[in-house]
């Protein structure tokens, strides 16, 4: 990035050479040289900028593709584990455990469907890909049936919602400690309350400074379209209220 900026500035500063010639000896030739030089600099800068942003876009696209592949591989691994357990119970002739395993698989499929139906692509991708990252925080997501935000929020509001949820999860992630070898759990709930969407965060585990965590979350939503609310006396349980009438 720095080398790209340096190259652009070097090209722009090169205009001082023909400017100096015009200042030293003003003539038709030096003025023509100045015009040609400035035109060449503008064309080169435009071409260089376009190439730079194309490369950046390609990097972002590759990064997104890699994240999608990791997510798919993680889900495939989970499904294979469930199928192996199910197959084992069938072979052992344990119908009760077989039924419970099938019910668990059905619940996971239903949850994945409700998450997908939230209708905010960036948020859905963040939730589905969170498990692929090595972290000391486990997410448990609860989504109200038929909740869909696709046509209720502008693209800007959707991006802001995803950013706030991402930052809030990160605040919980670094707000406490779990015993060695264990992960803390964060339960995120999505429900609708009249004309508002409620996103609740309930942290399980030890939080070093709940008041500091609450302050961080209030800072995250400051100036945003939503507001934060503390539920009861538990400062490690926070709710975001997002109005839909915007």
């Amino acid at each position: 990035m720095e080398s790209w900026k340096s190259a652009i500035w070097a090209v722009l500063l090169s205009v001082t050479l023909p400017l100096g010639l015009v200042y030293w000896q003003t003539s038709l030739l030096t003025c023509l040289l100045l015009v040609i030089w400035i035109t060449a600099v503008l064309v080169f800068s435009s071409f260089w900028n376009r190439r730079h942003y194309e490369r950046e876009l390609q990097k972002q696209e590759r990064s997104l593709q890699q994240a999608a592949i990791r997510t798919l591989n993680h889900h495939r691994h989970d499904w294979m584990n469930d199928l192996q357990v199910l197959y084992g119970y069938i072979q052992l002739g344990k119908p009760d455990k077989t039924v419970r395993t099938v019910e668990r698989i059905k619940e996971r499929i239903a949850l994945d469907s409700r998450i997908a139906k939230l209708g905010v692509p960036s948020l859905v991708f963040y939730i589905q890909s969170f498990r692929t990252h090595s972290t000391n925080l486990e997410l448990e997501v609860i989504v109200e049936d038929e909740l869909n935000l696709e046509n209720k929020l502008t693209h800007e509001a959707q991006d802001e919602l995803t950013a706030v949820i991402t930052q809030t999860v990160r605040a919980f992630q670094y707000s406490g400690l779990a015993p060695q070898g264990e992960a803390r759990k964060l339960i995120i709930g999505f429900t609708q309350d009249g004309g508002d969407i409620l996103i609740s965060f309930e942290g399980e585990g030890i939080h070093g400074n709940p008041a500091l965590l609450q302050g961080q979350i209030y800072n995250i939503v400051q100036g945003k379209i939503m507001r934060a609310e503390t539920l009861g006396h538990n400062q490690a349980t926070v709710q975001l209220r997002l109005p839909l009438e915007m």
Side-chain angles (χ1 to χ4, degrees), residues 118 123 127 141-142 147 149 153 161-162 164-166 168-169 172 187-193 196-202 217 226-229 231 237-244:
L118 281 173
L123 177 59
I127 293 174
V141 182
I142 302 172
L147 181 61
L149 306 177
L153 296 174
L161 173 63
T162 302
V164 168
I165 290 177
T166 301
T168 303
V169 171
F172 272 95
I187 303 173
I188 305 179
F190 294 85
T191 59
Q192 184 163 359
D193 179 27
D196 297 340
I197 297 297
L198 304 180
I199 305 103
S200 61
F201 298 83
E202 182 179 352
I217 295 173
M226 61 199 75
R227 68 177 185 271
E229 304 169 345
L231 300 180
T237 302
V238 178
Q239 176 176 274
L240 304 181
R241 183 175 292 273
L242 172 65
L244 295 180

Side-chain angles (χ1 to χ4, degrees), residues 83-214:
L83 290 175
Q84 288 174 357
V85 171
L86 179 60
Y87 184 63
Y89 287 146
I90 293 174
Q91 283 187 314
L92 294 173
K94 297 184 176 181
D96 292 342
K97 291 187 176 181
T98 299
V99 171
R100 285 199 293 270
T101 302
V102 171
E103 290 298 326
R104 188 175 70 248
I105 293 174
K106 287 172 59 179
E107 289 174 3
R108 283 184 53 197
I109 293 174
L111 175 59
D112 285 343
S113 176
R114 291 196 297 272
I115 292 174
K117 288 179 180 178
L118 281 173
V120 181
S122 57
L123 177 59
V124 172
F125 184 76
Y126 172 73
I127 293 174
Q128 296 288 27
S129 63
F130 186 86
R131 289 182 295 171
T132 66
H133 301 287
S134 297
T135 174
N136 64 340
L137 187 69
E138 174 189 345
L139 283 190
E140 180 179 329
V141 182
I142 302 172
V143 182
E144 186 179 77
D145 287 336
E146 306 304 324
L147 181 61
N148 187 292
L149 306 177
E150 183 176 8
N151 298 319
K152 298 177 181 178
L153 296 174
T154 64
H155 293 301
E156 292 77 11
Q158 291 182 15
D159 291 340
E160 185 172 294
L161 173 63
T162 302
V164 168
I165 290 177
T166 301
Q167 293 173 43
T168 303
V169 171
R170 189 176 296 117
F172 272 95
Q173 183 176 349
Y174 295 106
S175 68
L177 299 173
Q180 188 173 5
E182 298 182 12
R184 292 183 298 117
K185 180 184 288 187
L186 175 62
I187 303 173
I188 305 179
F190 294 85
T191 59
Q192 184 163 359
D193 179 27
D196 297 340
I197 297 297
L198 304 180
I199 305 103
S200 61
F201 298 83
E202 182 179 352
E204 295 183 359
I206 301 172
H207 293 274
N209 191 333
L212 178 60
L213 170 64
Q214 181 184 351

Side-chain angles (χ1 to χ4, degrees), residues 71-89:
T71 302
L72 289 173
N73 285 337
H74 194 279
H75 281 277
R76 177 184 58 81
H77 184 265
D78 287 347
W79 288 121
M80 289 300 298
N81 285 343
D82 286 337
L83 290 175
Q84 288 174 357
V85 171
L86 179 60
Y87 184 63
Y89 287 146

